[in-house]
Amino acid sequence: MSTHEKPDFPALPFFESGNVYTGSFRQSFRFRIAKAENALAVSCWNQDVCFEKAESPETEHFPLTENGRSACMDWIAARQPE
């Protein structure tokens, strides 16, 4: 069984309304999800700091759809440190 946790975050209308969602796992794995035009912009970083202070967060974009939301959750889960 994988030691990675799959994040649970708000439904698609939360993001369609322009809200930003942030979260963390363990001590220093952080993530941020925000609407960017017609997509979900997802960033993650392994530092115990906020997004604005993170050095070179890894970022990916997913469609602003339920499939995109699900792919976003999988992408975050796959980047968690062991």
Side-chain angles (χ1 to χ4, degrees):
M1 184 166 153
S2 173
T3 59
H4 295 149
E5 297 176 52
K6 192 168 186 178
D8 183 25
F9 51 82
L12 198 57
F14 177 88
F15 299 107
E16 291 171 333
S17 297
N19 297 304
V20 176
Y21 185 74
T22 61
S24 65
F25 291 108
R26 298 185 181 88
Q27 293 206 339
S28 64
F29 180 79
R30 308 281 186 254
F31 64 90
R32 178 183 186 271
I33 307 161
K35 181 180 176 187
E37 297 198 16
N38 204 23
L40 291 171
V42 186
S43 299
C44 62
W45 59 99
N46 286 304
Q47 296 171 287
D48 193 14
V49 297
C50 66
F51 175 73
E52 292 77 13
K53 301 276 184 181
E55 294 179 22
S56 304
E58 185 176 359
T59 301
E60 185 64 64
H61 291 81
F62 296 91
L64 190 59
T65 63
E66 280 301 326
N67 286 342
R69 181 181 169 275
S70 180
C72 170
M73 291 169 56
D74 291 339
W75 187 83
I76 291 171
R79 274 146 187 79
Q80 293 178 53
E82 294 293 326

